[in-house]
Amino acid sequence: MAVAQEVLEDLVKPWNVQVNSTSALAVAVAEAAAKDDKERREEDREPLRRKAGLRALPSAEVGQSFTLMPWEILHALGRAQVLSRQGAGRGLAEHWGCLKYCQALEGSTGRYMALSEEGLNPRRHYKTVQSGELGIGFALSVAERVLKKRYPDHVVSVVDADIALQAGWALVGKEVKRRDWVSLRPDFLLEAWKPGQPSKVVPLACKGTHSKPSYVHTQLASASARVEALHIGPWDQTPTLVASTELLGHGGISVHVLHAPGDGSLTIQPDAPDADLPVEDLNIYPDVRIPGNGDEDDERVSGFQMFPDQYAWFRSVLIRAGAAGLMGFTGGGEPTARYLTKRQGRRHFEGFTHAGTGIVQDVEQEIGGINFVGTDHVFRLNGTRVEAFSGLAENLFDLLRDGHVEEYRRQAHAMRPRWRSLRGQRDWDGPVSVREDGSVMAMQLLPEPPRRRRRLSSV
């Protein structure tokens, strides 16, 4: 078993992650989709409506690999899970669930990232959880790299699609109008934003697998139906990404990714309300309008569609959901709840949180000359006490705590050069990951407390 210091050092070693985005992959996914449609017809089931035109990413946006650190991937996974509402133990189950993978990844021959010996040995019932969660971490890490190349002067935020869509459509419970029409939806919405410019929104559907490579094609075919469910503006004008992470790929972990081009801009009027104001839950009917041919009426099918008169509302939903995720990452509670609507789960983060299961914003750390506010978790890693810290730059935290989310965006965008320089700092004895939203996740060794002799009672 590796000593804790070695584990922490491995978490920030840069390794290559293989990326497969080719025309051959697009053909294989189309064949998998056709096979599934045929089986559905034979079983008297309706074939799925899928995103048309999935293709390889342009060479300018993706090569054969990306260089990533395991700690970056765990940071992306931790941010993605923090509003997942996994129960009363959310202090651990939601916030720190990514830490269980801190020994699951390593470098292989040729400097490619792969599952470690520990990562290769989950019990059978746990493999699905591992592939799903690591699939999220790898897919988001690669998707963000792609969008940063596409929009180099923008910040990329990630919002859980369920959280965003729940503000406009009932997805669960008695309020659901058509359950069969809301069952398919993307996993995440990536928003590329720059103050003063329209946001670009890209739906992402992602999975992971331990299975044989052909199963990747099945997963991507399924993902094509989930991203087809969401349209911003006219039908089929929204850019999308689908990804499947092959954990046991030849030579290491491989991320298979395709995209469909589009605009996805949230163009709003200058006098539209800003995101500092609370948003209300709407009750939009869950359908998508496919234009008819010639004099034919539009066809209305299942899904979620935003029209220009809803852009300002949806922009606020995305911004506030992103702010909720950031405040949840720093400790949860009331500052998180203020950015969520009732249907998005505001009550889950309100009120008293039990100290044994919850987390609070009660820790300050200085890293690279920047003060961060957040929360920590102390645990033993192979017998050694370590501290994991997650937080947000103090000036940005203060803005979100006080409800100034628009000013937060202006300052966070302006601070991007500071995050890049922070990565080279060495005043923290352990792995550090800083994202362009101002969030940080770090871990370090802790000194052992004085040992006290324990009296054992006789039987």
Side-chain angles (χ1 to χ4, degrees):
M1 186 176 295
V3 299
Q5 181 64 44
E6 293 174 351
V7 174
L8 268 57
E9 291 172 355
D10 286 345
L11 284 170
V12 288
K13 288 181 179 178
W15 287 316
N16 292 319
V17 175
Q18 299 176 97
V19 179
N20 175 26
S21 185
T22 61
S23 56
L25 176 64
V27 170
V29 171
E31 291 174 349
K35 179 181 177 181
D36 182 66
D37 290 345
K38 179 181 178 182
E39 291 175 353
R40 287 174 176 273
R41 292 189 184 95
E42 292 172 349
E43 297 169 0
D44 292 327
R45 293 187 296 155
E46 185 177 353
L48 297 177
R49 197 178 76 252
R50 305 177 194 273
K51 185 70 176 180
L54 286 177
R55 64 196 69 177
L57 285 160
S59 58
E61 295 178 0
V62 66
Q64 294 183 341
S65 67
F66 280 119
T67 301
L68 294 169
M69 297 184 298
W71 197 235
E72 291 179 273
I73 296 164
L74 300 192
H75 190 176
L77 175 59
R79 281 283 290 110
Q81 288 182 317
V82 77
L83 298 180
S84 57
R85 294 170 60 186
Q86 296 181 24
R90 60 182 177 272
L92 294 175
E94 294 174 0
H95 197 93
W96 299 111
C98 61
L99 294 183
K100 61 180 174 280
Y101 300 115
C102 64
Q103 296 184 81
L105 302 170
E106 66 179 12
S108 64
T109 303
R111 304 291 293 172
Y112 280 98
M113 195 179 297
L115 289 180
S116 66
E117 183 178 354
E118 179 179 295
L120 287 168
N121 289 296
R123 290 179 63 86
R124 183 172 59 248
H125 67 273
Y126 183 64
K127 282 189 175 181
T128 301
V129 176
Q130 186 200 59
S131 61
E133 292 184 334
L134 287 181
I136 290 172
F138 279 98
L140 288 177
S141 298
V142 171
E144 288 179 273
R145 295 287 185 96
V146 168
L147 290 191
K148 285 177 184 177
K149 289 186 177 182
R150 191 176 295 181
Y151 309 108
D153 57 346
H154 288 55
V155 175
V156 179
S157 294
V158 176
V159 176
D160 186 303
D162 279 8
I163 295 292
L165 296 177
Q166 280 170 340
W169 297 265
L171 304 182
V172 296
K174 297 180 180 179
E175 298 179 47
V176 179
K177 293 181 173 66
R178 289 284 303 268
R179 293 185 186 277
D180 58 326
W181 283 36
V182 298
S183 58
L184 291 174
R185 48 189 183 266
D187 297 301
F188 297 97
L189 304 181
L190 286 83
E191 180 198 6
W193 56 268
K194 180 181 180 181
Q197 295 190 13
S199 293
K200 305 287 188 178
V201 182
V202 181
L204 166 70
C206 56
K207 292 290 184 183
T209 179
H210 292 90
S211 189
K212 55 187 178 181
S214 61
Y215 192 65
V216 166
H217 308 149
T218 301
Q219 287 190 330
L220 292 175
S222 173
S224 69
R226 288 186 283 131
V227 293
E228 164 60 20
L230 178 62
H231 297 263
I232 296 172
W235 173 75
D236 204 30
Q237 298 299 308
T238 305
T240 59
L241 286 167
V242 295
S244 173
T245 300
E246 185 186 357
L247 296 175
L248 301 180
H250 179 68
I253 293 170
S254 298
V255 181
H256 305 263
V257 58
L258 296 172
H259 87 119
D263 183 33
S265 296
L266 286 178
T267 305
I268 61 172
Q269 298 300 319
D271 58 349
D274 63 36
D276 289 356
L277 301 175
V279 297
E280 297 295 329
D281 287 323
L282 302 183
N283 290 292
I284 307 172
Y285 194 81
D287 67 2
V288 173
R289 301 173 189 176
I290 299 179
N293 294 322
D295 296 332
E296 295 179 358
D297 293 334
D298 292 351
E299 181 183 2
R300 308 189 75 154
V301 296
S302 61
F304 312 91
Q305 188 170 18
M306 262 75 62
F307 293 99
D309 61 342
Q310 297 163 332
Y311 285 179
W313 166 83
F314 193 60
R315 173 183 178 272
S316 292
V317 167
L318 288 176
I319 292 176
R320 293 179 70 84
L326 281 169
M327 296 311 279
F329 196 64
T330 64
E334 291 287 346
T336 303
R338 75 178 300 158
Y339 290 108
L340 298 173
T341 69
K342 179 180 178 181
R343 206 156 56 206
Q344 287 175 318
R346 180 174 58 218
R347 184 178 177 183
H348 182 69
F349 294 94
E350 287 179 333
F352 176 77
T353 302
H354 191 278
T357 60
I359 45 181
V360 292
Q361 295 140 335
D362 60 351
V363 179
E364 294 184 9
Q365 297 282 4
E366 181 177 332
I367 303 175
I370 299 177
N371 291 325
F372 291 89
V373 177
T375 189
D376 64 358
H377 174 51
V378 177
F379 64 104
R380 287 194 177 273
L381 179 62
N382 297 346
T384 302
R385 293 177 73 241
V386 296
E387 172 195 19
F389 170 75
S390 64
L392 186 65
E394 185 175 27
N395 63 316
L396 302 180
F397 172 87
D398 290 343
L399 289 170
L400 291 183
R401 178 199 59 199
D402 298 335
H404 305 309
V405 66
E406 296 280 7
E407 181 60 26
Y408 154 78
R409 286 208 159 190
R410 285 187 283 270
Q411 292 198 25
H413 189 273
M415 291 178 70
R416 289 184 306 151
R418 295 195 68 182
W419 310 141
R420 299 189 188 102
S421 64
L422 191 68
R423 293 165 188 161
Q425 297 296 325
R426 292 293 181 266
D427 60 347
W428 178 273
D429 188 20
V432 176
S433 171
V434 184
R435 295 168 64 83
E436 287 193 342
D437 57 15
S439 69
V440 64
M441 193 167 81
M443 189 159 63
Q444 66 179 353
L445 301 181
L446 290 177
E448 289 293 330
R451 293 188 178 276
R452 294 181 296 175
R453 298 185 65 181
R454 183 177 180 184
R455 179 180 296 175
L456 300 177
S457 60
S458 59
V459 178

